[in-house]
């Protein structure tokens, strides 16, 4: 007698919950979307003029939904600033991992930093007023600025030591370079006549040729680039906020 065909057990219904890693990734993407919308509004209108309702409207969500990701507007401001600082840290780490003279490292940093100033999160480093941050966060920001300034000085001092940079005061040279670069974050417009790369190329030449002991800089493909995932456009209208130098 033939046995009855086996009936496969019913398959379990699909779980209504995403796997943990997928849920975390989705949450991170939504959190970053909030930051991208907020930083654009802060740069367009000025931090104090922007409300959380406007941020929510730009994202087509409710204001209470924002509190799933941030406790308040000042925390969003700090996170926008932190995104820019993280980009600079990544550039410095990449340069440190490579070789080259002090001048070569300085040129890579100038080029990458100039490009970052043409991004929203990069511009937040110089357009946002640290006095708007909670004291603890403002302290973190001030420490990060000092670290960036110290890197410029270190590369200049290294170039003097290895003979690639003319003798000079590393502190003053770093102030002059960083001050020029920081202003890109104030005047750059995406619809302007120059691309971020063209600006970075030109600033690298102008800000380092007077320091070099010989020759003009030759830009290479190995110059650190801004991570594409962190680049976002910004509109051109609105009130500018004053920023500080790196020191």
């Amino acid at each position: 007698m033939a046995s009855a065909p086996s009936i496969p057990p019913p398959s379990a219904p699909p779980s209504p919950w995403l796997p943990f890693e997928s849920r975390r990734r989705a949450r991170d993407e939504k959190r970053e979307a909030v930051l991208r919308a907020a930083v654009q509004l802060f740069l367009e209108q000025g931090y104090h003029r922007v409300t959380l309702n406007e941020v929510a409207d730009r994202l087509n969500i409710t204001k209470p939904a924002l509190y799933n990701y941030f406790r308040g507007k000042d925390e969003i401001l700090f996170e926008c600033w932190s995104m820019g600082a993280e980009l600079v840290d990544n550039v410095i780490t990449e340069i440190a991992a490579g070789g080259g003279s002090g001048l070569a490292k300085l040129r890579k940093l100038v080029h990458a930093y100039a490009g970052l100033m043409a991004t929203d999160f990069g511009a937040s480093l110089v357009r946002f007023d640290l006095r708007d941050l909670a004291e603890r966060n403002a302290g973190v920001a001030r420490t990060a600025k000092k670290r960036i300034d110290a890197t410029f000085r270190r590369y200049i001092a290294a170039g003097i030591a290895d003979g690639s940079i003319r003798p000079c005061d590393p502190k003053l040279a770093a102030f002059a370079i960083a001050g020029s670069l920081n202003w890109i974050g104030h005047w750059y417009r995406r619809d302007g006549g120059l691309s971020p790369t063209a600006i970075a190329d030109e600033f690298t030449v102008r800000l380092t040729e007077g320091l070099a002991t010989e020759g003009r800089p030759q830009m290479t493909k190995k110059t650190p680039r801004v991570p594409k995932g962190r680049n976002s456009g910004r509109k051109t209208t609105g009130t500018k906020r004053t920023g500080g130098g790196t020191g």
Side-chain angles (χ1 to χ4, degrees):
M1 179 177 178
S3 60
S6 61
I7 301 175
S11 59
S15 170
W17 305 106
L18 292 171
F20 175 76
E21 287 299 328
S22 297
R23 278 186 283 130
R24 184 171 65 178
R25 183 166 56 252
R27 180 177 177 82
D28 289 345
E29 289 173 353
K30 291 178 181 178
R31 190 173 188 274
E32 188 167 329
V34 172
L35 294 177
R36 285 196 300 269
V39 74
Q40 289 170 9
L41 284 168
F42 293 162
L43 291 171
E44 291 165 15
Q45 302 178 28
Y47 171 70
H48 289 288
R49 294 185 179 184
V50 176
T51 67
L52 288 182
N53 281 328
E54 290 177 288
V55 176
D57 288 344
R58 179 159 291 195
L59 291 164
N60 197 29
I61 61 176
T62 64
K63 178 180 175 180
L66 292 177
Y67 290 103
N68 290 324
Y69 309 101
F70 301 100
R71 289 171 292 185
K73 195 172 75 164
D74 60 335
E75 183 178 343
I76 295 175
L77 181 73
F78 177 66
E79 288 299 322
C80 289
W81 189 95
S82 296
M83 294 280 276
E86 179 184 337
L87 293 175
V88 178
D89 284 343
N90 290 343
V91 163
I92 292 174
T93 298
E94 183 179 342
I95 294 172
S101 65
L103 177 63
K105 290 181 177 180
L106 177 64
R107 284 171 171 164
K108 289 179 181 179
L109 180 56
V110 169
H111 194 273
Y113 194 92
L116 287 173
M117 286 297 104
T119 70
D120 288 340
F121 290 121
S124 72
L125 294 175
V126 295
R127 293 273 297 278
F128 295 163
D129 193 332
L130 298 188
R131 291 173 296 183
D132 290 326
L133 298 175
E135 183 53 38
R136 180 181 179 278
N137 290 339
V140 172
R142 286 191 291 268
T143 298
K145 283 176 174 285
K146 291 178 180 178
R147 186 168 62 248
I148 295 170
D149 175 66
T151 303
F152 277 102
R153 296 189 199 186
R154 185 169 66 252
Y155 290 162
I156 294 170
I160 295 171
D162 65 29
S164 60
I165 292 178
R166 302 174 189 274
C168 64
D169 184 327
K171 178 179 179 179
L172 291 180
F175 280 168
I177 291 172
S180 297
L181 293 173
N182 286 341
W183 270 103
I184 297 173
H186 291 273
W187 58 253
Y188 171 75
R189 294 294 178 266
R190 185 169 290 275
D191 58 356
L194 292 174
S195 69
T197 299
I199 292 170
D201 288 346
E202 185 68 15
F203 268 65
T204 301
V205 172
R206 300 306 171 200
L207 296 178
T208 66
E209 64 179 349
L211 295 174
T213 52
E214 60 181 46
R216 288 168 63 88
Q218 298 295 319
M219 302 312 300
T220 68
K221 293 182 179 179
K222 294 184 179 180
T223 300
R225 296 181 177 180
V226 180
K228 293 182 179 179
R230 301 295 192 187
N231 249 335
S232 60
R234 70 172 178 269
K235 297 183 180 178
T236 62
T237 58
T239 302
K240 294 180 180 179
R241 297 301 306 271
T242 57
T246 60

